[in-house]
Amino acid sequence: MRRRRRRDIIIELTSLLDVIMIIIFMVMKENSKMIVDKQNTVDAIQQVNSQQAGEIGELTDKVDELSGQLAEALGKLEEGSADELLEKLQAAENKLASYEAIDDIVIVLNIGLENKYNNTVRCLTFGKASDKSTVIDNHDDGEFEVSVNKLKVFVSNYVDKILSDKDNQTIVYIVFTYNASKVYQRDYEAVGEALKEAEIKANNGNFRYRINPIK
């Protein structure tokens, strides 16, 4: 068997060393990336811990504040202020009952008319003052006519309440608010005509409406 020459052996060893160096470099690079990732994870955990510590501190402050308020309330009770607190509570309940009674007897209805978006939308709103109003946006005459018919039905229901009240105690008061410079005259007249029709149908002084122009 022929002996390998020294030069060939050196070349092979050099190639092998190159491969080993490349592997070592890749391992070092991967280890460096892992270290950076772990450091980022540690920083994120520390940030979360810091945030939770702040939230716990805020919660502790709120608990201390509530404890102070409770202690103050208990102190007032111990000083004999219970009767005063009960009187205030009773007065508040009486006021609430009065407001509810008034709302049952005097029914206030709000009607609003305005043009929006450079007169491209004609908005009609109506509803009981103590409830959320119905808002209808109209883009043409046909839609507005439908809205006015809905308004007539809405008002007519309260006219029927007056007509069915044998004791003549139910009062319906309507406030029609509009801006004369920002609505069409024909729209204003349509709403006004609906209210006049309701007034004629009620034929009772307990049905009243007031026009509230906005300048």
Coordinates of all heavy atoms in Angstrom, one line a residue, residues 166-203:
K166 N -111.0 59.0 33.5 CA -112.4 59.4 34.0 C -112.2 60.5 35.0 O -113.1 61.3 35.2 CB -113.2 58.3 34.4 CG -113.5 57.2 33.4 CD -114.3 56.1 33.9 CE -114.6 55.1 32.8 NZ -115.4 53.9 33.3
D167 N -111.1 60.4 35.8 CA -111.0 61.4 36.9 C -110.4 62.7 36.4 O -110.2 63.7 37.1 CB -110.0 60.9 38.0 CG -110.7 59.6 38.6 OD1 -111.9 59.6 38.7 OD2 -109.9 58.7 39.1
N168 N -110.0 62.8 35.1 CA -109.5 64.0 34.5 C -108.3 64.5 35.2 O -108.1 65.7 35.5 CB -110.6 65.1 34.4 CG -110.2 66.2 33.4 OD1 -109.6 65.9 32.4 ND2 -110.6 67.4 33.7
Q169 N -107.4 63.6 35.6 CA -106.2 64.0 36.3 C -104.9 63.9 35.5 O -103.9 64.5 35.9 CB -106.0 63.2 37.6 CG -107.1 63.4 38.6 CD -106.9 62.6 39.9 OE1 -106.1 61.7 39.9 NE2 -107.6 62.9 40.9
T170 N -104.9 63.2 34.4 CA -103.7 63.1 33.6 C -103.5 64.3 32.7 O -104.4 64.8 32.1 CB -103.9 61.8 32.6 OG1 -104.1 60.7 33.4 CG2 -102.6 61.6 31.8
I171 N -102.2 64.8 32.8 CA -101.9 66.0 32.1 C -100.7 65.6 31.2 O -99.7 65.1 31.6 CB -101.5 67.2 33.0 CG1 -102.6 67.5 33.9 CG2 -101.0 68.4 32.2 CD1 -102.3 68.6 35.0
V172 N -100.8 66.0 29.9 CA -99.8 65.8 28.9 C -99.2 67.1 28.5 O -100.0 68.0 28.0 CB -100.2 65.0 27.7 CG1 -99.1 64.8 26.7 CG2 -100.7 63.6 28.2
Y173 N -97.9 67.4 28.6 CA -97.3 68.6 28.3 C -96.2 68.4 27.3 O -95.3 67.6 27.5 CB -96.8 69.3 29.5 CG -96.3 70.7 29.3 CD1 -97.3 71.8 29.2 CD2 -95.0 71.1 29.2 CE1 -96.9 73.1 29.1 CE2 -94.6 72.4 29.0 CZ -95.5 73.4 28.9 OH -95.2 74.7 28.8
I174 N -96.3 69.0 26.1 CA -95.4 68.7 25.0 C -94.6 70.0 24.7 O -95.1 71.1 24.7 CB -96.1 68.3 23.7 CG1 -96.9 67.0 23.9 CG2 -95.1 68.2 22.6 CD1 -97.7 66.6 22.7
V175 N -93.2 69.8 24.6 CA -92.3 70.9 24.3 C -91.7 70.6 22.9 O -91.0 69.6 22.7 CB -91.2 71.0 25.3 CG1 -90.3 72.2 24.9 CG2 -91.8 71.3 26.7
F176 N -92.1 71.4 21.9 CA -91.6 71.2 20.6 C -90.4 72.2 20.3 O -90.6 73.4 20.3 CB -92.7 71.5 19.6 CG -92.3 71.5 18.1 CD1 -91.2 70.7 17.7 CD2 -92.9 72.3 17.2 CE1 -90.8 70.7 16.3 CE2 -92.6 72.3 15.9 CZ -91.5 71.5 15.4
T177 N -89.2 71.7 20.2 CA -88.0 72.6 20.1 C -87.5 72.5 18.7 O -87.3 71.4 18.1 CB -86.9 72.1 21.1 OG1 -87.4 72.2 22.4 CG2 -85.7 73.0 21.0
Y178 N -87.1 73.6 18.1 CA -86.6 73.6 16.7 C -85.8 74.9 16.5 O -85.9 75.9 17.3 CB -87.7 73.5 15.7 CG -88.4 74.8 15.5 CD1 -88.2 75.6 14.4 CD2 -89.4 75.3 16.4 CE1 -88.9 76.8 14.2 CE2 -90.0 76.5 16.2 CZ -89.8 77.3 15.1 OH -90.5 78.4 15.0
N179 N -84.9 74.9 15.5 CA -84.1 76.1 15.2 C -84.7 76.6 13.8 O -84.5 75.9 12.8 CB -82.7 75.7 15.1 CG -81.8 76.9 14.9 OD1 -82.1 77.9 14.3 ND2 -80.6 76.9 15.5
A180 N -85.3 77.7 13.9 CA -86.0 78.2 12.7 C -85.1 78.5 11.5 O -85.5 78.4 10.3 CB -86.7 79.5 13.0
S181 N -83.8 78.8 11.8 CA -82.8 79.0 10.7 C -82.2 77.8 10.2 O -81.4 77.9 9.2 CB -81.8 80.0 11.2 OG -81.0 79.4 12.3
K182 N -82.5 76.6 10.8 CA -81.8 75.4 10.4 C -82.8 74.3 10.0 O -82.3 73.1 10.0 CB -80.8 75.0 11.5 CG -79.7 75.9 11.7 CD -78.7 75.3 12.7 CE -77.5 76.3 12.9 NZ -76.5 75.7 13.9
V183 N -84.0 74.6 9.8 CA -85.0 73.5 9.4 C -85.8 74.1 8.2 O -85.9 75.3 8.0 CB -85.9 73.1 10.6 CG1 -85.1 72.5 11.7 CG2 -86.8 74.3 11.0
Y184 N -86.4 73.1 7.5 CA -87.2 73.5 6.4 C -88.6 74.0 6.9 O -89.1 73.3 7.9 CB -87.4 72.4 5.4 CG -86.1 72.0 4.7 CD1 -85.6 70.7 4.7 CD2 -85.4 73.0 4.0 CE1 -84.4 70.4 4.1 CE2 -84.2 72.7 3.3 CZ -83.7 71.4 3.4 OH -82.6 71.0 2.8
Q185 N -89.2 75.0 6.4 CA -90.5 75.5 6.8 C -91.5 74.4 6.7 O -92.4 74.2 7.6 CB -90.9 76.7 6.0 CG -92.2 77.4 6.4 CD -92.2 77.9 7.8 OE1 -91.1 78.3 8.3 NE2 -93.4 78.1 8.4
R186 N -91.5 73.6 5.6 CA -92.5 72.6 5.4 C -92.4 71.5 6.5 O -93.4 70.9 6.9 CB -92.4 72.0 4.0 CG -91.1 71.3 3.7 CD -91.1 70.8 2.3 NE -89.8 70.1 1.9 CZ -88.7 70.7 1.5 NH1 -88.7 72.0 1.4 NH2 -87.7 69.9 1.2
D187 N -91.2 71.2 6.9 CA -91.0 70.2 8.0 C -91.6 70.7 9.3 O -92.3 70.0 10.0 CB -89.5 69.9 8.2 CG -88.9 69.2 7.0 OD1 -89.7 68.8 6.1 OD2 -87.7 69.1 6.9
Y188 N -91.3 72.0 9.6 CA -91.8 72.6 10.8 C -93.4 72.6 10.8 O -94.0 72.3 11.8 CB -91.3 74.0 11.0 CG -92.1 74.9 11.9 CD1 -92.0 74.7 13.3 CD2 -93.0 75.8 11.4 CE1 -92.7 75.5 14.2 CE2 -93.8 76.6 12.3 CZ -93.6 76.4 13.7 OH -94.4 77.2 14.5
E189 N -93.9 72.9 9.7 CA -95.4 73.0 9.5 C -96.0 71.6 9.7 O -97.1 71.4 10.2 CB -95.8 73.6 8.2 CG -95.5 75.1 8.1 CD -95.8 75.6 6.7 OE1 -96.1 74.8 5.8 OE2 -95.7 76.9 6.5
A190 N -95.3 70.5 9.2 CA -95.8 69.2 9.3 C -95.9 68.7 10.7 O -96.9 68.1 11.2 CB -94.9 68.2 8.5
V191 N -94.9 69.0 11.5 CA -94.9 68.7 12.9 C -95.9 69.5 13.7 O -96.7 69.0 14.5 CB -93.5 68.9 13.6 CG1 -93.5 68.7 15.1 CG2 -92.5 68.0 12.9
G192 N -96.0 70.8 13.4 CA -97.0 71.7 14.0 C -98.4 71.2 13.7 O -99.3 71.2 14.6
E193 N -98.7 70.8 12.5 CA -100.0 70.3 12.1 C -100.3 69.0 12.9 O -101.5 68.8 13.3 CB -100.0 70.0 10.6 CG -101.4 69.6 10.1 CD -102.4 70.7 10.2 OE1 -102.0 71.9 10.3 OE2 -103.6 70.4 10.3
A194 N -99.3 68.1 13.1 CA -99.6 66.9 13.9 C -100.0 67.2 15.3 O -100.9 66.6 15.9 CB -98.3 66.0 13.9
L195 N -99.3 68.2 15.9 CA -99.7 68.6 17.3 C -101.1 69.3 17.3 O -101.8 69.0 18.3 CB -98.6 69.6 17.8 CG -97.2 69.0 18.0 CD1 -96.3 70.0 18.5 CD2 -97.2 67.8 18.9
K196 N -101.4 70.0 16.3 CA -102.8 70.6 16.3 C -103.8 69.6 16.2 O -104.9 69.6 16.9 CB -102.9 71.6 15.1 CG -102.1 72.9 15.3 CD -102.2 73.8 14.1 CE -101.4 75.1 14.3 NZ -101.6 76.0 13.1
E197 N -103.6 68.6 15.4 CA -104.6 67.5 15.2 C -104.7 66.7 16.6 O -105.9 66.4 16.9 CB -104.1 66.5 14.2 CG -104.1 67.0 12.7 CD -103.6 66.1 11.7 OE1 -103.2 64.9 12.1 OE2 -103.5 66.4 10.5
A198 N -103.6 66.5 17.3 CA -103.7 65.8 18.6 C -104.5 66.7 19.6 O -105.3 66.2 20.4 CB -102.3 65.5 19.1
E199 N -104.3 68.0 19.5 CA -105.0 68.9 20.4 C -106.5 68.9 20.2 O -107.3 68.9 21.1 CB -104.4 70.3 20.3 CG -105.0 71.3 21.2 CD -104.4 72.7 21.0 OE1 -104.3 73.1 19.8 OE2 -104.1 73.4 22.0
I200 N -106.8 68.9 18.9 CA -108.3 68.9 18.6 C -108.9 67.5 19.0 O -110.0 67.5 19.5 CB -108.4 69.1 17.0 CG1 -108.0 70.5 16.6 CG2 -109.9 68.8 16.6 CD1 -108.0 70.7 15.1
K201 N -108.2 66.4 18.8 CA -108.7 65.1 19.2 C -108.8 65.0 20.7 O -109.8 64.5 21.2 CB -107.7 64.0 18.8 CG -108.1 62.6 19.1 CD -107.1 61.6 18.7 CE -107.6 60.2 19.1 NZ -106.6 59.1 18.7
A202 N -107.9 65.6 21.5 CA -108.0 65.5 23.0 C -109.1 66.4 23.4 O -109.9 66.0 24.4 CB -106.7 66.0 23.6
N203 N -109.3 67.6 22.9 CA -110.3 68.5 23.3 C -110.4 68.7 24.8 O -111.5 68.6 25.4 CB -111.7 68.0 22.7 CG -112.8 69.0 22.8 OD1 -112.5 70.2 22.8 ND2 -114.0 68.6 22.9

